Amino acid sequence: MDLLAKEGTIQKTDGGFLVRVRGKSYVKDLPGVECENPRAQEERRVYRKLFTKKRIYMAGEYDRAVQEILRGTDVIVLGMNGYSDLSPEKCALWGVRPGAYEQACIGILKMLHKTLNAKFKDIDIRFADGASAATGGGVDWAIIQAARDLNCQHLGHSCPKFMFYVLDDEDPVYVAETQVDYANAFIDSLDILVAANGRMQAFRHDIMAVFEKLKYLIPVNVLKSLSTNGGMPAMDSNGNIEDAVATYEQRVHLIGQRIIQSSADPYSDLVANICNEAVGIVRPLLSPVRAYGNIAS
């Protein structure tokens, strides 16, 4: 296998951590990306990005990363997946204002944090995210913004070819060797996954979380709650998944689904349902004193 072309590579150097990939021209305009051989044919061009500030845990250091960032007494780790980027054209097509999806995701995470803290005294909420915030939008950007606003610890998860979408800041990130390893690590890190739409990668995460990792899943059709025209179809004309949560809705009856669809304020009702479900999920995960004997007033 041509690792540099398929997965990319990362290595520690004297100057920091260097990620490299070959033939992925779509990364060339991302922040901090350089081409090593611009005169070569496109498929032979190697793109690189040097991280000098980022706190990076390499493959083989996953347990240390989780122990240092995501573990503690009565810690609950929330994760969210969904769309990595929504272009203005897609927003117009799906009847959603640009930026609304990201802000809605932030709102959900903040309300979850507020509700759980109001219900359980001194609970420690932390976040797992996909780290890809370089485009200034998408679900990973939303999680990171929520974590910063709430002053919560969070651990990013990535792989070499996705590190081109990661900003060189001081936020910690675990970098798995491959995309599959990255997906596994992300799910392993969290307690509750909020599935906020997304395409095939998000769909695979959802299935993995429930049936392979035995994690708690809350599917949330954020786009539909925001859309003025019903949002996007579950699948395109070729049968490819366009909306992971809409696909669930077509095949699994979600409690409260009909109520939300007929609501005058679907987003508000959606958030209330999410928070109510989260409280029930979290209680048995906490120590008995916090779950039953130390309820926040």
Side-chain angles (χ1 to χ4, degrees):
M1 179 180 70
D2 187 345
L3 188 64
L4 188 60
K6 183 174 177 58
E7 296 284 357
T9 62
I10 182 170
Q11 65 182 96
K12 189 173 183 179
T13 69
D14 292 338
F17 292 87
L18 182 67
V19 292
R20 302 170 73 241
V21 71
R22 182 167 58 237
K24 311 296 185 185
S25 61
Y26 49 78
V27 307
K28 63 183 179 182
D29 295 324
L30 292 170
V33 177
E34 299 176 344
C35 180
E36 293 183 357
N37 52 345
R39 295 184 179 180
Q41 293 183 343
E42 183 54 55
E43 65 272 13
R44 303 302 302 170
R45 290 179 187 175
V46 175
Y47 298 94
R48 62 186 287 164
K49 182 174 182 177
L50 180 66
F51 290 84
T52 59
K53 303 175 185 176
K54 200 76 173 170
R55 183 178 174 187
I56 292 177
Y57 295 90
M58 298 282 278
E61 297 181 304
Y62 172 76
D63 290 340
R64 182 165 74 90
V66 170
Q67 188 64 35
E68 292 181 0
I69 308 298
L70 298 180
R71 293 294 178 261
T73 302
D74 286 325
V75 169
I76 296 296
V77 182
L78 303 179
M80 179 179 276
N81 64 9
Y83 294 115
S84 59
D85 188 33
L86 286 179
S87 66
E89 294 76 19
K90 288 291 187 182
C91 287
L93 180 64
W94 299 333
V96 177
R97 286 181 293 175
Y101 172 75
E102 288 84 356
Q103 291 302 319
C105 290
I106 291 173
I108 289 168
L109 293 170
K110 286 185 174 181
M111 187 54 70
L112 278 170
H113 183 274
K114 180 179 179 179
T115 300
L116 293 173
N117 273 280
K119 196 69 176 178
F120 306 107
K121 186 178 179 181
D122 298 327
I123 190 174
D124 190 347
I125 305 295
R126 304 185 189 183
F127 294 107
D129 61 80
S132 298
T135 61
V139 70
D140 290 334
W141 178 87
I143 300 172
I144 292 169
Q145 289 300 119
R148 289 175 177 172
D149 290 348
L150 295 167
N151 196 29
C152 291
Q153 293 194 64
H154 68 102
L155 177 64
H157 299 72
S158 192
C159 58
K161 68 179 179 181
F162 288 168
M163 283 294 289
F164 289 90
Y165 295 92
V166 176
L167 293 172
D168 187 18
D169 53 27
E170 296 179 354
D171 291 341
V173 60
Y174 165 71
V175 184
E177 288 185 348
T178 68
Q179 182 176 345
V180 171
D181 292 338
Y182 143 71
N184 283 328
F186 172 70
I187 296 300
D188 283 336
S189 293
L190 52 83
D191 295 303
I192 301 173
L193 174 65
V194 178
N197 304 105
R199 295 187 178 87
M200 180 55 79
Q201 181 68 15
F203 190 77
R204 286 173 176 158
H205 274 186
D206 301 344
I207 294 294
M208 185 187 302
V210 174
F211 298 110
E212 294 184 18
K213 306 292 186 176
L214 298 179
K215 302 293 182 171
Y216 292 95
L217 172 71
I218 304 178
V220 184
N221 201 328
V222 177
L223 270 182
K224 184 178 289 186
S225 77
L226 305 175
S227 176
T228 58
N229 63 14
M232 66 187 306
M235 298 183 180
D236 64 17
S237 58
N238 295 318
N240 298 312
I241 292 176
E242 283 285 345
D243 187 334
V245 173
T247 302
Y248 272 121
E249 288 181 338
Q250 288 185 358
R251 289 156 175 80
V252 180
H253 178 71
L254 304 179
I255 296 174
Q257 179 178 326
R258 294 180 181 177
I259 296 174
I260 293 171
Q261 286 177 341
S262 61
S263 170
D265 187 2
Y267 176 71
S268 178
D269 288 347
L270 190 73
V271 173
N273 274 268
I274 296 165
C275 291
N276 184 59
E277 291 293 328
V279 168
I281 291 170
V282 165
R283 191 184 301 278
L285 301 179
L286 300 174
S287 63
V289 65
R290 183 149 292 121
Y292 306 108
N294 197 19
I295 303 298
S297 58

